[in-house]
Amino acid sequence: MLAAVLFDLDGTIVNTDPIHYQAWQQMLADYNIEIDEKFYKSRISGRLNPEIVKDILPQLSPAEGQKFADDKEALFRELASHLQPLSGFAELLAWTETHQLKRALVTNAPRLNVEFVLEVLGIKEAFHTVILAEDCTAGKPDPAPYQAALNKLKINAEKAIALEDSPSGIRAAVAAGIPTIGIASTHDPQNLQTVGAFMAIPDFTDLQLWTFLNSLTEPDLSAINF
C-alpha cells in the first residue's frame, strides 16, 4: 500500500530549467562559451554544480569553481522571483493530505535555492522531510538521496513512488528501488521511460497519473466476501 510520495524539485514541482538555462548562458558568456538547449540538457541538466564546472571550466581552481557556482545560483535567484508550480501540483498535494501520505523533497539543488524556491511557491511546510544531495554521501544519479529519504520516513521503497524530470533523477530513484513517474517538463518522455520511469506525463493534471493514483487507494473488492 502506498505510504509516501517523493518529489524532486527543479523541473518536477516547478519548471526552473528556463531560468537556470538563462543563468548558465549569462555566466558562461563571460568565458566566451555559448550554449544551446542541447548542450544544456546533455552537459548541465540534472548534474551537480561541481561536476558541471569541472567539465565545462576545467581551468578553474576548486575555489574559483565554487565562486562561479555560487554566483550562478545567486543570479538564478535574482531571475526566479515569479515562479509558479506545475499545473496540478496543488491538487496532488491535497490528494496526499486526504490519503495521509508522507511527502519528501529529494533534490540536487543547493540549499539556498531550495529555501528560496519553497518560499516563492509558498510550500515551505509541505514536506515531512527535505533531503539535499549535499548532505548525502553522493548526489543523483546515485541512489543515496532517495535511500536517505526512505530511511527518514521509515518506509520501504515499494511503499513509495518518486516523481522526477531528469534522467539522472530517475536513475537515482529506480536504483533505490522506488517506482518512478517521469515528469516530461524538460526532457522527452520516451527518454524518461528508457532510463526507468514506468510512466511519463507532462504535468500533474494528466489523466494517466490520476487513474494510477486512484487505483492505489481503491479497496480490494476481491478480498471482500459478499
Side-chain angles (χ1 to χ4, degrees):
M1 185 173 180
L2 185 65
V5 180
L6 312 184
F7 294 84
D8 173 49
L9 181 59
D10 289 304
T12 299
I13 292 175
V14 56
N15 188 6
T16 54
D17 259 35
I19 303 172
H20 280 296
Y21 177 43
Q22 183 181 351
W24 279 107
Q25 277 187 315
Q26 291 186 30
M27 293 293 297
L28 290 172
D30 291 341
Y31 292 83
N32 297 314
I33 297 174
E34 295 184 10
I35 67 171
D36 57 15
E37 289 191 18
K38 182 178 179 181
F39 183 103
Y40 177 80
K41 288 182 178 181
S42 63
R43 302 277 294 276
I44 295 175
S45 179
R47 301 178 73 193
L48 293 168
N49 279 343
E51 298 171 357
I52 299 168
V53 175
K54 189 175 180 180
D55 176 25
I56 300 173
L57 299 169
Q59 72 272 28
L60 298 185
S61 69
E64 290 169 337
Q66 183 62 57
K67 184 179 186 309
F68 177 93
D70 290 345
D71 290 346
K72 180 264 159 184
E73 299 307 342
L75 177 58
F76 163 79
R77 293 190 293 274
E78 284 180 27
L79 299 169
S81 60
H82 302 294
L83 290 172
Q84 295 291 327
L86 257 62
S87 297
F89 175 73
E91 290 76 8
L92 178 56
L93 214 57
W95 183 86
T96 64
E97 288 277 5
T98 298
H99 295 284
Q100 300 181 320
L101 302 179
K102 295 179 179 179
R103 296 175 299 278
L105 185 69
V106 186
T107 176
N108 271 359
R111 188 181 308 276
L112 289 177
N113 283 12
V114 174
E115 293 171 352
F116 173 84
V117 172
L118 294 183
E119 178 75 34
V120 168
L121 297 181
I123 55 171
K124 286 177 68 177
E125 310 301 323
F127 302 98
H128 296 92
T129 189
V130 174
I131 303 296
L132 305 181
E134 62 193 65
D135 294 333
C136 300
T137 54
K140 306 171 192 177
D142 193 282
Y146 277 103
Q147 291 166 340
L150 295 174
N151 290 337
K152 277 284 185 72
L153 296 177
K154 296 181 171 58
I155 61 168
N156 297 324
E158 60 269 19
K159 292 187 176 182
I161 58 171
L163 298 159
E164 273 283 358
D165 75 296
S166 72
S168 67
I170 290 170
R171 288 189 180 99
V174 170
I178 304 168
T180 304
I181 297 172
I183 308 300
S185 64
T186 55
H187 292 269
D188 181 85
Q190 185 59 51
N191 291 345
L192 302 185
Q193 291 186 285
T194 297
V195 296
F198 71 87
M199 176 193 305
I201 58 175
D203 58 34
F204 302 115
T205 66
D206 192 272
L207 181 60
Q208 188 182 4
L209 170 69
W210 288 100
T211 300
F212 170 72
L213 292 178
N214 289 326
S215 75
L216 299 179
T217 56
E218 291 173 355
D220 183 2
L221 298 181
S222 65
I224 299 175
N225 294 316
F226 290 99

XYZ file of all heavy atoms in Angstrom, residues 119-182:
459
model
N 10.005 29.046 -0.594
C 9.416 30.308 -0.106
C 8.582 30.966 -1.205
O 7.440 31.387 -0.965
C 10.531 31.254 0.345
C 10.054 32.621 0.818
C 9.421 32.583 2.188
O 9.867 31.782 3.041
O 8.469 33.361 2.400
N 9.129 31.055 -2.409
C 8.411 31.697 -3.527
C 7.113 30.955 -3.829
O 6.073 31.576 -4.098
C 9.308 31.747 -4.787
C 8.500 32.136 -6.023
C 10.449 32.730 -4.590
N 7.157 29.617 -3.770
C 5.975 28.811 -4.090
C 5.001 28.705 -2.921
O 3.884 28.216 -3.086
C 6.399 27.403 -4.530
C 7.250 27.296 -5.796
C 7.558 25.836 -6.091
C 6.565 27.948 -6.984
N 5.429 29.120 -1.729
C 4.565 29.044 -0.555
C 4.352 27.636 -0.046
O 3.275 27.308 0.482
N 5.389 26.784 -0.176
C 5.235 25.375 0.244
C 6.343 24.959 1.215
O 6.762 23.806 1.224
C 5.185 24.426 -0.974
C 6.423 24.620 -1.880
C 3.912 24.621 -1.769
C 6.548 23.574 -2.984
N 6.789 25.884 2.039
C 7.868 25.576 2.985
C 7.491 24.464 3.960
O 8.340 23.728 4.427
C 8.254 26.835 3.763
C 9.037 27.855 2.969
C 9.326 29.094 3.777
C 10.298 28.814 4.921
N 10.644 30.042 5.667
N 6.202 24.364 4.280
C 5.756 23.371 5.260
C 5.141 22.129 4.612
O 4.497 21.333 5.285
C 4.724 24.011 6.205
C 5.155 25.337 6.817
C 6.432 25.217 7.625
O 6.614 24.184 8.293
O 7.255 26.156 7.562
N 5.322 21.962 3.318
C 4.617 20.894 2.600
C 5.226 19.511 2.777
O 4.564 18.511 2.506
C 4.549 21.231 1.110
N 6.489 19.441 3.241
C 7.193 18.159 3.239
C 7.560 17.707 4.648
O 7.952 18.516 5.492
C 8.454 18.260 2.374
C 8.152 18.671 0.960
C 8.284 19.991 0.559
C 7.682 17.738 0.043
C 7.971 20.385 -0.729
C 7.368 18.116 -1.246
C 7.510 19.434 -1.637
N 7.431 16.404 4.858
C 7.806 15.838 6.153
C 9.317 15.799 6.324
O 9.820 15.841 7.445
C 7.214 14.434 6.297
C 5.714 14.425 6.304
N 4.961 14.267 5.157
C 4.833 14.582 7.330
C 3.670 14.309 5.476
N 3.564 14.497 6.776
N 10.034 15.703 5.216
C 11.492 15.774 5.258
C 12.009 16.328 3.945
O 11.377 16.153 2.895
C 12.122 14.391 5.548
O 13.518 14.539 5.786
C 11.931 13.425 4.382
N 13.140 17.023 4.013
C 13.801 17.565 2.823
C 15.209 16.988 2.782
O 15.987 17.157 3.724
C 13.859 19.109 2.857
C 14.677 19.640 1.680
C 12.452 19.696 2.839
N 15.526 16.285 1.701
C 16.829 15.645 1.544
C 17.614 16.378 0.464
O 17.183 16.453 -0.687
C 16.683 14.155 1.155
C 15.839 13.404 2.192
C 18.064 13.516 0.987
C 16.442 13.339 3.581
N 18.762 16.930 0.845
C 19.637 17.626 -0.093
C 20.820 16.730 -0.443
O 21.391 16.073 0.435
C 20.149 18.929 0.518
C 19.109 19.916 1.042
C 19.798 21.152 1.595
C 18.113 20.296 -0.045
N 21.201 16.734 -1.707
C 22.339 15.920 -2.136
C 23.597 16.273 -1.358
O 24.405 15.394 -1.039
C 22.576 16.094 -3.635
N 23.757 17.563 -1.030
C 24.978 17.999 -0.338
C 25.089 17.420 1.067
O 26.165 17.429 1.662
C 25.049 19.524 -0.285
C 23.930 20.201 0.472
C 23.881 21.706 0.214
O 23.624 22.130 -0.940
O 24.114 22.446 1.176
N 23.975 16.900 1.604
C 24.000 16.275 2.925
C 24.161 14.758 2.853
O 24.183 14.083 3.882
C 22.710 16.603 3.688
C 22.590 18.081 4.011
O 23.639 18.745 4.127
O 21.455 18.565 4.153
N 24.243 14.222 1.630
C 24.350 12.775 1.431
C 25.760 12.405 0.971
O 26.569 13.268 0.640
C 23.329 12.311 0.389
S 21.609 12.647 0.848
N 26.033 11.111 0.932
C 27.351 10.640 0.502
C 27.584 10.916 -0.979
O 28.729 11.014 -1.419
C 27.502 9.130 0.765
O 26.405 8.435 0.136
C 27.472 8.837 2.259
N 26.504 11.034 -1.747
C 26.585 11.351 -3.179
C 25.246 11.902 -3.619
O 24.215 11.674 -2.978
C 26.948 10.114 -3.994
N 25.249 12.646 -4.724
C 24.005 13.167 -5.279
C 23.486 12.272 -6.388
O 24.126 11.289 -6.781
N 22.298 12.589 -6.887
C 21.768 11.870 -8.043
C 22.761 12.000 -9.205
O 23.372 13.049 -9.350
C 20.422 12.469 -8.456
C 19.381 12.559 -7.357
C 18.178 13.364 -7.843
C 17.242 13.727 -6.718
N 16.115 14.572 -7.156
N 22.963 10.960 -9.996
C 22.166 9.733 -10.168
C 22.445 8.621 -9.154
O 21.889 7.536 -9.284
C 22.559 9.262 -11.573
C 23.974 9.727 -11.730
C 24.023 11.062 -11.021
N 23.294 8.875 -8.165
C 23.476 7.891 -7.098
C 22.173 7.774 -6.308
O 21.487 8.777 -6.094
C 24.611 8.351 -6.174
C 25.067 7.257 -5.234
O 24.366 7.015 -4.229
O 26.119 6.648 -5.480
N 21.801 6.589 -5.858
C 20.545 6.428 -5.115
C 20.582 6.968 -3.693
O 19.538 6.994 -3.017
C 20.332 4.906 -5.110
C 21.703 4.337 -5.234
C 22.449 5.282 -6.130
N 21.748 7.435 -3.215
C 21.895 7.837 -1.811
C 20.823 8.815 -1.331
O 20.274 8.632 -0.232
C 23.293 8.404 -1.569
N 20.492 9.887 -2.084
C 19.465 10.804 -1.578
C 18.101 10.139 -1.380
O 17.401 10.421 -0.395
C 19.397 11.890 -2.660
C 20.755 11.866 -3.296
C 21.126 10.414 -3.316
N 17.725 9.261 -2.298
C 16.443 8.572 -2.145
C 16.485 7.551 -1.017
O 15.494 7.367 -0.291
C 16.017 7.930 -3.469
C 15.332 8.923 -4.364
C 15.993 9.486 -5.448
C 14.035 9.345 -4.086
C 15.377 10.439 -6.244
C 13.411 10.291 -4.879
C 14.082 10.836 -5.948
O 13.466 11.793 -6.726
N 17.603 6.889 -0.853
C 17.737 5.971 0.269
C 17.638 6.725 1.594
O 17.014 6.239 2.554
C 19.069 5.223 0.172
C 19.108 4.243 -0.991
C 20.508 3.742 -1.309
O 21.507 4.361 -0.942
N 20.599 2.621 -2.007
N 18.214 7.919 1.642
C 18.133 8.747 2.851
C 16.684 9.138 3.141
O 16.239 9.140 4.297
C 18.995 9.991 2.695
N 15.930 9.463 2.082
C 14.518 9.830 2.268
C 13.713 8.656 2.815
O 12.896 8.826 3.737
C 13.933 10.298 0.943
N 13.926 7.475 2.264
C 13.218 6.291 2.758
C 13.543 6.036 4.220
O 12.651 5.717 5.028
C 13.594 5.061 1.918
C 13.160 5.079 0.446
C 13.729 3.867 -0.279
C 11.647 5.122 0.312
N 14.812 6.199 4.584
C 15.219 5.993 5.975
C 14.573 7.006 6.902
O 14.115 6.661 8.007
C 16.743 6.073 6.099
C 17.446 4.886 5.463
O 16.844 3.818 5.313
N 18.698 5.050 5.074
N 14.546 8.273 6.465
C 13.942 9.326 7.281
C 12.442 9.078 7.490
O 11.904 9.309 8.575
C 14.148 10.688 6.627
C 15.492 11.328 6.902
C 15.530 11.900 8.319
C 16.816 12.649 8.601
N 16.888 13.943 7.881
N 11.774 8.632 6.436
C 10.333 8.394 6.514
C 10.002 7.032 7.118
O 8.831 6.746 7.393
C 9.707 8.501 5.121
C 9.792 9.871 4.441
C 9.187 9.798 3.046
C 9.102 10.952 5.262
N 11.043 6.205 7.279
C 10.876 4.861 7.851
C 9.894 4.010 7.038
O 8.976 3.392 7.565
C 10.415 4.938 9.313
C 11.421 5.596 10.247
C 10.919 5.618 11.678
C 12.000 6.068 12.654
N 12.558 7.398 12.362
N 10.124 3.991 5.729
C 9.296 3.183 4.841
C 10.178 2.397 3.874
O 11.330 2.745 3.640
C 8.295 4.040 4.036
C 9.047 5.048 3.159
C 7.301 4.728 4.946
C 8.163 5.730 2.141
N 9.594 1.347 3.291
C 10.280 0.564 2.270
C 10.032 1.171 0.891
O 9.017 1.839 0.674
C 9.773 -0.882 2.273
C 10.077 -1.589 3.573
O 11.128 -1.366 4.177
N 9.152 -2.430 4.021
N 10.954 0.910 -0.017
C 10.877 1.500 -1.359
C 9.579 1.155 -2.080
O 9.013 1.994 -2.789
C 12.079 1.042 -2.191
N 9.074 -0.062 -1.892
C 7.872 -0.469 -2.616
C 6.610 0.236 -2.110
O 5.554 0.158 -2.742
C 7.695 -1.986 -2.547
C 7.543 -2.549 -1.155
C 8.874 -2.957 -0.528
O 9.928 -2.495 -0.995
O 8.833 -3.755 0.436
N 6.714 0.945 -0.995
C 5.571 1.692 -0.469
C 5.620 3.166 -0.856
O 4.856 3.975 -0.333
C 5.505 1.546 1.054
C 5.167 0.134 1.518
C 4.942 0.073 3.006
C 4.501 -1.329 3.419
N 4.229 -1.412 4.874
N 6.527 3.508 -1.772
C 6.676 4.896 -2.200
C 6.600 4.985 -3.717
O 6.766 3.988 -4.427
C 8.013 5.454 -1.721
N 6.335 6.192 -4.213
C 6.556 6.499 -5.622
C 7.381 7.777 -5.675
O 7.313 8.620 -4.772
C 5.250 6.666 -6.421
C 4.363 7.760 -5.828
C 4.505 5.359 -6.547
C 3.168 8.107 -6.696
N 8.191 7.892 -6.708
C 9.010 9.088 -6.902
C 8.542 9.817 -8.156
O 8.088 9.188 -9.122
C 10.479 8.711 -7.025
N 8.680 11.135 -8.131
C 8.340 11.979 -9.271
C 9.592 12.737 -9.673
O 10.154 13.488 -8.875
C 7.228 12.952 -8.893
C 5.913 12.272 -8.501
C 5.041 13.204 -7.671
C 5.157 11.824 -9.743
N 10.047 12.525 -10.906
C 11.343 13.045 -11.363
C 11.263 13.510 -12.810
O 10.573 12.910 -13.620
C 12.418 11.953 -11.274
C 13.110 11.847 -9.934
C 14.158 12.945 -9.732
O 14.373 13.754 -10.655
O 14.750 12.979 -8.645
N 12.026 14.568 -13.127
C 12.005 15.080 -14.506
C 13.251 14.758 -15.302
O 13.240 14.848 -16.522
C 11.840 16.598 -14.497
C 13.122 17.305 -14.107
O 13.579 17.118 -12.970
O 13.686 18.042 -14.943
N 14.360 14.410 -14.646
C 15.628 14.232 -15.369
C 16.059 12.774 -15.401
O 15.731 11.997 -14.497
C 16.735 15.066 -14.711
O 17.110 14.501 -13.468
N 16.810 12.382 -16.428
C 17.339 11.021 -16.459
C 18.166 10.675 -15.222
O 18.059 9.567 -14.685
C 18.192 11.012 -17.733
C 17.516 12.004 -18.631
C 17.064 13.102 -17.693
N 18.978 11.621 -14.740
C 19.809 11.318 -13.561
C 18.940 11.094 -12.335
O 19.220 10.203 -11.515
C 20.817 12.440 -13.307
O 20.175 13.642 -12.918
N 17.878 11.876 -12.185
C 16.988 11.702 -11.048
C 16.234 10.389 -11.112
O 16.052 9.707 -10.099
N 15.781 10.034 -12.317
C 15.067 8.767 -12.481
C 15.998 7.595 -12.181
O 15.618 6.647 -11.484
C 14.477 8.659 -13.896
C 13.327 9.667 -14.044
C 13.988 7.241 -14.188
C 12.819 9.836 -15.454
N 17.228 7.669 -12.660
C 18.192 6.605 -12.365
C 18.394 6.462 -10.856
O 18.505 5.338 -10.328
C 19.524 6.891 -13.052
C 19.495 6.712 -14.567
C 20.891 6.787 -15.159
N 20.877 6.621 -16.601
C 20.933 7.636 -17.471
N 21.019 8.884 -17.028
N 20.909 7.408 -18.772
N 18.462 7.580 -10.153
C 18.671 7.551 -8.706
C 17.507 6.872 -7.994
O 17.700 6.006 -7.141
C 18.859 8.968 -8.176
N 16.285 7.281 -8.336
C 15.106 6.722 -7.674
C 14.928 5.239 -7.995
O 14.639 4.424 -7.106
C 13.868 7.507 -8.086
N 15.110 4.887 -9.262
C 14.967 3.486 -9.679
C 16.032 2.619 -9.013
O 15.759 1.497 -8.566
C 15.031 3.374 -11.218
C 15.124 1.922 -11.646
C 13.804 4.035 -11.839
N 17.253 3.143 -8.905
C 18.324 2.387 -8.248
C 18.033 2.165 -6.767
O 18.520 1.197 -6.169
C 19.656 3.113 -8.408
N 17.228 3.055 -6.188
C 16.823 2.888 -4.791
C 15.620 1.955 -4.665
O 15.135 1.704 -3.555
C 16.499 4.247 -4.172
N 15.139 1.452 -5.801
C 14.031 0.500 -5.796
C 12.655 1.128 -5.777
O 11.660 0.450 -5.526
N 12.567 2.438 -6.070
C 11.301 3.169 -5.979
C 10.638 3.261 -7.354
O 11.263 3.746 -8.304
C 11.535 4.585 -5.426
C 12.254 4.530 -4.078
C 10.206 5.332 -5.292
C 12.768 5.872 -3.611
N 9.386 2.836 -7.504
C 8.669 3.047 -8.757
C 8.625 4.546 -9.075
O 8.286 5.349 -8.201
C 7.268 2.496 -8.470
C 7.460 1.543 -7.324
C 8.567 2.121 -6.503
N 8.958 4.904 -10.302
C 9.186 6.315 -10.615
C 8.374 6.777 -11.816
O 8.334 6.105 -12.850
C 10.690 6.556 -10.883
O 11.442 6.106 -9.744
C 10.983 8.024 -11.118
N 7.748 7.937 -11.643
C 6.993 8.577 -12.713
C 7.828 9.727 -13.261
O 8.316 10.570 -12.505
C 5.640 9.111 -12.192
C 4.773 7.940 -11.710
C 4.919 9.908 -13.284
C 3.501 8.373 -11.007
N 7.981 9.769 -14.564
C 8.733 10.839 -15.197
C 7.843 12.037 -15.489
O 6.734 11.880 -15.988
